[in-house]
Amino acid sequence: MTVSPATQHPEDGALPFDPRSGSRIERLLFNYRAVILLLCAIVTALAVIQLPRLHSNGSFEKMIPSDHPFIVNYLTMKSDLPNPNVLRIAVTAPGADIYDAVFLEKLQRLTNELLAFPEVDRVGLKSLWTPNARWQGVTEEGFDAGPLVPNDYQGRPEDLQQLRVNVRRSGEIGKIVSFDEKSALIAVPLLPDNAELKRRIDYGALNTRLEEMRTRYEAQGVPMQISGFAKVVGDLIAGLQKIALFFLLSIVLAAGVLYAHTRCLRSTGLVVICSLVAVVWQLGALPALGFDLNPYSVLVPFLVFAIGMSHGAQKMNGIMQDVGRGAPKEVAARYTFRRLFLAGLTALLCDAVGFGVLLIIDIPVIQELAMIASLGVAILIFTNLILLPILLSYIGVSPLAAERSLRAERGRSHPVWHWLGRLTEPRRALATVVFCGLLAVGAFMVSLHLKIGDLDPGAPELRADSRYNLDDAYIKQKYGASADAFIVMVRTPEGACSTYDTLMRVDALEWKLRSLPVVENTVSLAGQQRLLMSGYNEGNPKWYELPTNSAMLNTITANSPRGLFNDVCSVLPLTAYLQDHRADTLTSVVKVAEEFAKQNDSADAQFLLAGGSAGIEAATNIVVQHANREMLLWVYGAVLILCFVTFRSWRAVVCTMLPLALISLLCEALMVVLGVGVKVATLPVIALGVGIGVDYALYVMSILLAHLRRGETLPNAFEAALLFTGRMVMLTGVTLAVGVAVWAWSPIKFQADMGILLAFMFVGNMVGALVLLPALAHFLLRPVSLRPSS
């Protein structure tokens, strides 16, 4: 029997190694090892030089699905609507109430400091000390109005008493003054990013200044609470500094797990180094490509490192076993490259697919995550499939470790492998398939309760006991001024926003929304018309109606705040302030508003959804809901095609895909149990779990098919696959899970959720590849059907 150079394997016995064997790529790589190492060193140096240019930041605009109809409507009329990116800063008086000269002086100083921030929209900033904080009242002479703080204020007792009177008749209690009048609030709108003006908010720097300001004022006995999108992003960025410690912990734990298995320091070090090189290349490429790290994409280096450790462990294991058989280190490296390169490449392509399908989600922050992660996986093809075997061909592995690895491969009496190998027996295979089928049905029933969007009040990205969520709860309790504003935009012809017919319909929608238990308050021009109509008639509640006379309507409109209509009287925002932004809350409000719009839209008045923070959140939930199933179809379809190209057997593809589907269902059920909704932060989890989780099945199936195509029986072929790669599948499953499980201690809650879910999927897919795959193989795979001649 002659052995073709292209197919020579170490199992061929004492045959001398033919340097002409292997593919053209293998010969090219290993014949020019020194050149490749030099090129990798140059690229690594260039990447390190780029690292100081890498920054962490967030963006309000990148968090919204810009092509959704709600957002298109919002962006079209953005200049006529309240700014949703607003900081709310509550300052509590140390005394009995806010009417204290010393406290008011500090509030004035704080207001002036905030006005000096370059990110602040100074015109829109509102506090007791700004000109836009006014009172309006009905007197014997008609309407009267003025600033809350008297123009001649000097801190005298009579000035403080006048301020108290002005506040109580202004309607600002519950807005910029707390219900108990013990704290005052400053509303701080932020300017939007503007590429033309090269203006972009640095949320990390802004958060640092806010915290410095908080520390300074609290040292003076003035407690401060801060809420708003910018503060959430700032706290997330601040939390990223602690993430570096988790990354170091991941490295130590993954290296420890690998070393405990191999007892080879040099090869363990090489696997860690190559995985870190991939992370350095990725991070170094980001500034050159114009990317920043945001709170979502900062998790990608963890995944890239963990995936690199997984694939590196497989390569190291193969080289160890070949060295144990007596092959020189370079020959062993070439054998392992030859045997596992295609499976590793397919696995990494599946990983890239898991990330790449996230591009279909119309949310820029997720699309950036997809591009950054796909870049990292592409880099792993070079660092772990090419660089690592070349380095091992020079340095090799410990002879004792190689001997131990070979003994483990030949230790067919090991009880774990023996038990797993018996899963191919008819009775055990049937019991396993039936049990997994029942498990899938149960998981599917539980997954039907999976919610879209946030399930908790406050900022669910942060933990419930975080400083931000405590501050946000305080502001809601003391002010009742919810930050969750849902805006319906009513568009009319120019100058026609105050017609009786239009205002009647706005009033009808306002009544419907106000009747919802999740709506705390509503504000619109229609409500203002009722209020001022009553005021024009000495405050008599009998006149709390919409006037039918157009002249009176126009007069009242002219005296109404401009935030209730735009300058040309063509847009009327109807704002509903919600209890929270949980999924059920947003769904109920959207349903009522959409049904009303369908029944009442006309040429004179169009009811368009939706603006405000809650409207944007509602649009995001809708996009996430639509993308969730579409994303899974794409990732499963792409993985199926890649598996078929690799295996050339539909039976093998079915054996590979069904365990993945089961773990996906179980993951959705786990999300229900943990109270985690499908949202921007968790949407990538299942796609990543499928893309990365298929790696285990690919390695096991590749070896299994190779033995079956040689005519071996299924039990023998599967046990051989277990002995060659099963141990490393277990090892890599644990390594990947450890790499992400440390996120569970992150101060950022969505990172903790992602860590738990990904760790479950990695371990679950590993178990599926070792338990369900052989049971399915009993029914689907036969040696005769897999021979090349068939």
Side-chain angles (χ1 to χ4, degrees):
M1 171 183 175
T2 24
V3 179
S4 166
T7 59
Q8 187 180 12
H9 290 281
E11 292 88 345
D12 294 330
L15 287 173
F17 178 75
D18 187 344
R20 298 170 302 158
S21 64
S23 65
R24 183 176 299 177
I25 294 177
E26 177 191 327
R27 295 195 300 273
L28 179 65
L29 293 175
F30 283 89
N31 289 340
Y32 296 94
R33 293 180 294 166
V35 175
I36 291 172
L37 289 180
L38 178 62
L39 291 175
C40 289
I42 293 172
V43 173
T44 303
L46 293 175
V48 170
I49 293 172
Q50 291 291 321
L51 289 180
R53 297 178 52 205
L54 183 63
H55 299 288
S56 298
N57 202 4
S59 170
F60 178 78
E61 287 75 13
K62 289 183 179 181
M63 295 289 293
I64 61 178
S66 54
D67 290 335
H68 188 272
F70 287 10
I71 305 303
V72 171
N73 293 334
Y74 161 71
L75 294 175
T76 302
M77 290 177 274
K78 183 178 179 180
S79 59
D80 299 320
L81 299 174
N83 185 348
N85 193 6
V86 179
L87 282 169
R88 299 190 300 165
I89 303 176
V91 187
T92 303
D97 54 37
I98 64 172
Y99 307 111
D100 175 82
V102 175
F103 170 76
L104 289 171
E105 181 184 353
K106 292 177 180 177
L107 180 65
Q108 183 183 30
R109 189 164 65 246
L110 176 59
T111 300
N112 291 335
E113 285 188 43
L114 291 167
L115 282 167
F117 279 25
E119 302 91 347
V120 171
D121 179 2
R122 297 175 179 84
V123 175
L125 187 143
K126 186 175 183 179
S127 86
L128 286 176
W129 286 98
T130 54
N132 55 358
R134 300 177 62 81
W135 65 272
Q136 190 175 37
V138 181
T139 67
E140 294 85 352
E141 299 177 359
F143 279 102
D144 195 6
L148 292 184
V149 178
N151 291 325
D152 58 348
Y153 175 86
Q154 296 181 17
R156 299 165 298 190
E158 56 268 29
D159 295 334
L160 297 175
Q161 180 58 31
Q162 185 60 53
L163 173 60
R164 187 192 304 269
V165 172
N166 291 347
V167 166
R168 291 179 177 177
R169 62 184 176 181
S170 67
E172 293 293 351
I173 291 180
K175 296 179 181 177
I176 62 172
V177 177
S178 63
F179 292 125
D180 58 9
E181 298 181 83
K182 291 184 178 181
S183 71
L185 185 140
I186 305 175
V188 188
L190 302 179
L191 295 168
D193 291 346
N194 190 315
E196 294 180 2
L197 299 177
K198 296 183 179 180
R199 182 180 67 210
R200 186 180 181 190
I201 296 176
D202 186 337
Y203 287 98
L206 175 61
N207 188 65
T208 301
R209 295 202 304 275
L210 289 172
E211 288 300 325
E212 183 274 332
M213 179 182 292
R214 190 208 299 260
T215 302
R216 185 156 35 87
Y217 277 88
E218 289 188 344
Q220 302 173 32
V222 181
M224 187 183 297
Q225 290 79 30
I226 309 173
S227 71
F229 172 81
K231 191 67 178 76
V232 173
V233 175
D235 285 353
L236 291 176
I237 292 173
L240 299 186
Q241 299 172 0
K242 298 179 181 179
I243 294 299
L245 298 177
F246 291 116
F247 186 66
L248 292 176
L249 182 60
S250 293
I251 295 173
V252 171
L253 291 176
V257 170
L258 188 57
Y259 178 75
H261 175 76
T262 63
R263 305 295 177 87
C264 178
L265 189 60
R266 70 177 90 165
S267 57
T268 299
L270 282 181
V271 173
V272 172
I273 289 171
C274 287
S275 301
L276 288 176
V277 165
V279 173
V280 170
W281 286 14
Q282 180 193 37
L283 295 180
L286 297 185
L289 297 174
F291 289 116
D292 288 334
L293 276 181
N294 58 58
Y296 296 91
S297 61
V298 75
L299 301 180
V300 172
F302 281 80
L303 286 174
V304 170
F305 175 78
I307 296 169
M309 291 292 292
S310 167
H311 289 276
Q314 292 285 353
K315 307 300 176 294
M316 183 183 69
N317 179 63
I319 291 174
M320 275 189 172
Q321 292 182 0
D322 290 340
V323 169
R325 295 186 185 98
K329 53 191 176 183
E330 181 183 353
V331 174
R334 291 188 65 167
Y335 281 146
T336 299
F337 179 89
R338 184 178 308 173
R339 208 165 29 220
L340 295 178
F341 179 76
L342 181 59
L345 179 63
T346 305
L348 285 175
L349 289 176
C350 290
D351 298 345
V353 165
F355 290 116
V357 295
L358 299 177
L359 289 169
I360 69 173
I361 303 170
D362 182 31
I363 300 175
V365 71
I366 295 297
Q367 293 174 336
E368 279 194 10
L369 181 149
M371 289 185 280
I372 292 172
S374 298
L375 172 66
V377 172
I379 289 170
L380 283 173
I381 294 175
F382 292 94
T383 60
N384 286 69
L385 297 188
I386 296 174
L387 176 61
L388 178 60
I390 289 176
L391 285 173
L392 285 170
S393 73
Y394 279 111
I395 297 175
V397 298
S398 164
L400 291 177
E403 184 181 348
R404 187 183 301 111
S405 177
L406 187 62
R407 283 202 309 267
E409 181 190 2
R410 291 172 176 171
R412 295 179 181 269
S413 61
H414 194 288
V416 174
W417 310 137
H418 182 68
W419 183 85
L420 288 173
R422 293 189 64 188
L423 291 175
T424 58
E425 296 175 1
R427 291 180 59 186
R428 291 175 181 260
L430 179 61
T432 301
V433 171
V434 170
F435 173 78
C436 290
L438 294 174
L439 198 61
V441 172
F444 175 75
M445 298 301 294
V446 175
S447 71
L448 294 177
H449 300 283
L450 186 63
K451 301 289 186 181
I452 302 295
D454 294 327
L455 305 184
D456 300 306
E461 296 88 354
L462 301 169
R463 295 192 181 272
D465 59 352
S466 66
R467 177 65 188 264
Y468 178 88
N469 279 325
L470 295 177
D471 285 359
D472 187 65
Y474 175 90
I475 291 174
K476 286 183 178 179
Q477 177 188 1
K478 294 293 183 180
Y479 292 84
S482 171
D484 299 314
F486 185 92
I487 300 177
V488 178
M489 298 156 284
V490 185
R491 184 164 58 193
T492 69
E494 288 191 11
C497 70
S498 60
T499 62
Y500 178 76
D501 180 64
T502 296
L503 290 175
M504 280 294 291
R505 281 187 278 173
V506 171
D507 188 63
L509 176 56
E510 187 172 5
W511 180 86
K512 283 180 175 291
L513 291 175
R514 192 188 289 268
S515 65
L516 293 174
V518 297
V519 176
E520 294 182 341
N521 190 25
T522 57
V523 175
S524 74
L525 180 60
Q528 185 73 5
Q529 289 275 355
R530 287 175 173 271
L531 180 64
L532 292 186
M533 185 63 180
S534 174
Y536 276 125
N537 292 275
E538 301 178 348
N540 192 326
K542 292 182 178 180
W543 289 93
Y544 191 73
E545 289 288 347
L546 284 174
T548 57
N549 183 279
S550 60
M552 180 60 72
L553 288 169
N554 292 334
T555 300
I556 295 177
T557 300
N559 288 304
S560 299
R562 285 296 178 270
L564 299 179
F565 61 98
N566 67 345
D567 292 338
V568 295
C569 196
S570 62
V571 174
L572 293 173
L574 166 55
T575 305
Y577 293 96
L578 312 181
Q579 288 179 351
D580 51 59
H581 53 262
R582 289 184 292 186
D584 292 341
T585 299
L586 297 177
T587 300
S588 62
V589 174
V590 168
K591 181 180 178 181
V592 169
E594 285 187 326
E595 288 179 355
F596 186 90
K598 289 178 182 178
Q599 297 169 5
N600 291 273
D601 273 350
S602 68
D604 295 328
Q606 289 180 286
F607 292 80
L608 305 174
L609 278 62
S613 59
I616 292 170
E617 187 84 14
T620 303
N621 286 353
I622 293 170
V623 169
V624 167
Q625 184 174 23
H626 290 167
N628 187 33
R629 297 303 173 191
E630 182 182 358
M631 176 190 68
L632 287 179
L633 290 175
W634 276 101
V635 71
Y636 271 103
V639 168
L640 186 149
I641 292 171
L642 287 171
C643 288
F644 187 79
V645 169
T646 303
F647 301 142
R648 305 287 179 165
S649 165
W650 68 266
R651 299 170 184 269
V653 171
V654 172
C655 292
T656 302
M657 299 296 293
L658 287 181
L660 291 177
L662 172 62
I663 301 304
S664 294
L665 284 174
L666 288 172
C667 184
E668 291 190 350
L670 179 63
M671 292 174 70
V672 174
V673 172
L674 295 177
V676 177
V678 181
K679 51 189 176 181
V680 172
T682 56
L683 184 61
V685 167
I686 293 180
L688 299 183
V690 172
I692 298 173
V694 73
D695 294 3
Y696 311 112
L698 282 169
Y699 281 114
V700 172
M701 185 59 75
S702 295
I703 304 301
L704 176 64
L705 289 179
H707 284 271
L708 286 175
R709 283 168 175 157
R710 294 177 185 175
E712 296 183 26
T713 64
L714 179 61
N716 289 340
F718 182 64
E719 191 161 352
L722 286 176
L723 292 169
F724 182 77
T725 195
R727 293 180 303 113
M728 299 311 295
V729 164
M730 284 188 175
L731 176 67
T732 54
V734 173
T735 303
L736 279 169
V738 165
V740 296
V742 295
W743 301 352
W745 290 274
S746 170
I748 301 174
K749 186 176 184 299
F750 81 80
Q751 292 180 348
D753 292 338
M754 288 184 70
I756 293 170
L757 295 174
L758 283 173
F760 171 79
M761 290 205 73
F762 293 156
V763 172
N765 282 314
M766 178 262 289
V767 173
L770 297 177
V771 175
L772 181 55
L773 186 151
L776 292 170
H778 167 77
F779 297 101
L780 293 173
L781 298 184
R782 294 288 185 274
V784 66
S785 65
L786 295 169
R787 289 177 184 171
S789 59
S790 62

